[in-house]
Amino acid sequence: MTQSWWLNPCKRIDGLCVERAQERQQQLTKPAGSLGRLESLAVQLAGLQGQVKPSLAQVWIAIFAGDHGVVAEGVSAFPQEVTGQMLLNFVNGGAAISVLARQLGASLEVVDLGTVTSTLDLPGVRHLHIGAGTANFAQGPAMTQAQGEQALQAGRDSALRALASGAQLFIGGEMGIGNTTAASALACALLDCPVAHLTGPGTGLDAAGVSHKAQVIERALALHAAQRGDALHTLFNLGGFEIAALVGAYLACAQEGVAVLVDGFICSVAALLAVRLNPQVRPWLLFGHRGAEPGHRHVLETLEAEPVLELGLRLGEGSGAALAVPLLRLACELHGQMATFTEAAVADRPA
């Protein structure tokens, strides 16, 4: 095995900045706690950024794409070619995340880790060609260890580019037909939860389709049961290239000190994997929204995560996290720009 960089220590939260940000919140011209979670989010970001008045002017969004061999089992309502077609849509500006990135003034990076359309060569896309998608995990491991480590490193590389760009917040998104099947399988393995509780319609399966998808996941879990307690090999056995890249990105962000805003179900499963591999990652993760996939709620509860939004979203692409950015920015602006009682010559409540 190559050096396990993912086990390296994560950066420590700046406790002094947290204390000073909390003190500032108590001095602002409002009743204590009256801005609810906006206050705690600003304080949390202060600790992550190491400054009493945090800022989210620079946001980095990375979309990781990869195809899934398990699609051969008939688990998706969409054909696999859609993954490659959406890559073009991302860079042409027509996808939801493309619109959101423009509106936020965020950097948008698109990374193709390996699709079935292996001839793709799109300007504006980083094509890594780890493989023509993963193998069918209902018949064997989804990827080799070498492929898995390449995907982890791809996520790490994106996080390092974000750091170099001056990003204050990292959002990971995903694209890959069949990836809710992979995420559900991973969640079942990690949480030891019944498959029926964590399997949903994904891109729009009907009840019969969801039932079939659950049966495929059951078979896969039985096949890979021997390594179920090993988070890394569970990822390689059941995951996707894009899920592994998200794991690598989250790990690297925590190690380098960049706050992460986690998107929906698939990204939250990647976050859970990152935390299982290196528990020091957890304080660096904020969660954008609670999505409509049934498994998402279970994963968030396990991570003791309180998402910013709940809008019934199930698009992926990082879109739910991107939608939460304006609220986080406003939390920072309120925290940084409101006057204190002393500055505004407003009487505070008696001590």
Side-chain angles (χ1 to χ4, degrees):
M1 179 184 283
T2 58
Q3 184 180 8
S4 303
W5 61 265
W6 47 88
L7 301 179
N8 293 344
C10 297
K11 192 170 180 180
R12 293 176 66 89
I13 306 301
D14 191 325
L16 180 60
C17 275
V18 169
E19 288 180 26
R20 290 176 62 196
Q22 287 172 332
E23 289 170 2
R24 176 173 173 77
Q25 278 291 332
Q26 297 303 312
Q27 297 163 7
L28 299 180
T29 47
K30 59 177 176 59
S34 60
L35 283 174
R37 286 203 60 217
L38 295 180
E39 297 184 15
S40 59
L41 287 166
V43 170
Q44 183 179 359
L45 285 165
L48 297 179
Q49 292 188 3
Q51 47 188 21
V52 178
K53 295 182 180 181
S55 168
L56 293 179
Q58 302 296 319
V59 176
W60 181 278
I61 302 174
I63 307 300
F64 300 107
D67 274 319
H68 293 259
V70 74
V71 169
E73 301 288 336
V75 294
S76 175
F78 278 79
Q80 203 157 27
E81 293 75 19
V82 168
T83 304
Q85 292 163 357
M86 282 300 295
L87 289 173
L88 182 60
N89 196 24
F90 291 139
V91 294
N92 281 349
I97 193 61
S98 310
V99 175
L100 290 166
R102 280 199 302 276
Q103 294 299 314
L104 295 172
S107 300
L108 179 63
E109 174 176 82
V110 181
V111 183
D112 167 21
L113 298 139
T115 57
V116 292
T117 317
S118 57
T119 55
L120 280 177
D121 186 15
L122 301 172
V125 176
R126 292 178 177 270
H127 294 287
L128 302 186
H129 303 297
I130 293 174
T134 55
N136 182 353
F137 65 65
Q139 298 182 358
M143 61 190 95
T144 65
Q145 181 158 315
Q147 287 177 319
E149 291 188 9
Q150 276 183 276
L152 286 167
Q153 184 64 44
R156 183 190 193 194
D157 290 344
S158 180
L160 293 176
R161 288 190 291 272
L163 179 70
S165 79
Q168 298 153 312
L169 185 71
F170 181 97
I171 293 174
E174 39 61 42
M175 178 64 218
I177 296 301
N179 62 7
T180 59
T181 303
S184 297
L186 287 165
C188 290
L190 293 168
L191 302 181
D192 199 24
C193 197
V195 173
H197 291 184
L198 300 183
T199 305
T203 50
L205 293 173
D206 59 16
V210 173
S211 177
H212 172 68
K213 181 175 172 179
Q215 291 169 11
V216 171
I217 293 170
E218 293 275 16
R219 280 170 36 216
L221 291 173
L223 179 65
H224 302 291
Q227 292 179 303
R228 196 156 171 168
D230 183 323
L232 188 66
H233 284 97
T234 295
L235 169 61
F236 296 164
N237 285 338
L238 298 170
F241 294 148
E242 81 283 36
I243 296 174
L246 287 163
V247 174
Y250 297 157
L251 287 159
C253 282
Q255 289 167 345
E256 299 296 334
V258 179
V260 172
L261 185 57
V262 180
D263 189 42
F265 175 49
I266 293 154
C267 292
S268 296
V269 170
L272 178 60
L273 278 157
V275 170
R276 291 288 174 90
L277 289 171
N278 189 335
Q280 293 178 22
V281 169
R282 179 63 188 88
W284 290 91
L285 306 177
L286 295 90
F287 291 80
H289 76 110
R290 181 181 286 109
E293 276 291 301
H296 197 194
R297 188 175 299 273
H298 291 273
V299 175
L300 292 172
E301 287 173 358
T302 300
L303 287 164
E304 297 182 351
E306 190 176 354
V308 177
L309 302 173
E310 184 161 8
L311 297 173
L313 306 172
R314 56 183 179 87
L315 175 59
E317 303 177 5
S319 55
L323 283 165
V325 169
L327 276 175
L328 295 183
R329 282 178 168 169
L330 288 169
C332 292
E333 296 306 313
L334 287 163
H335 176 80
Q337 294 185 29
M338 281 183 70
T340 65
F341 284 101
T342 301
E343 290 167 346
V346 173
D348 195 356
R349 65 182 179 180

